Amino acid sequence: MTGPSKRGHVTNNVRHLRESAGLTQAELAGRVGATRQTIIAVEAEKYAPSLELAFRLARAFRVPFESVFDYRD
């Protein structure tokens, strides 16, 4: 057996993109079908969104998925 597995971390640019677009957290939440609390948690990197929500966020900003999210080991 090997040692404990190392867990990665998802980082994101949601806050930067949202502020650049002039959107409030509530407005972004409405556009992507999430709650404001979910957007707050995603921006604080306390919650990694589902794959579906992650794609909806990228589409809302009209940028590639990789411009919004990054996975680090």
Side-chain angles (χ1 to χ4, degrees):
M1 259 187 148
T2 61
S5 64
K6 186 177 175 184
R7 228 177 136 181
H9 181 73
V10 175
T11 60
N12 71 73
N13 294 313
V14 172
R15 177 176 285 139
H16 170 75
L17 291 164
R18 177 183 59 77
E19 290 174 348
S20 294
L23 296 171
T24 66
Q25 291 166 330
E27 289 169 333
L28 177 58
R31 287 185 183 195
V32 299
T35 65
R36 184 180 61 84
Q37 290 81 3
T38 296
I39 300 301
I40 290 168
V42 170
E43 287 184 351
E45 296 182 352
K46 293 183 184 272
Y47 172 72
S50 67
L51 192 54
E52 181 181 351
L53 177 55
F55 275 105
R56 280 193 256 143
L57 286 162
R59 286 184 179 169
F61 296 125
R62 294 190 165 120
V63 297
F65 181 86
E66 296 83 5
S67 295
V68 183
F69 295 97
D70 188 36
Y71 177 79
R72 308 251 166 127
D73 288 329

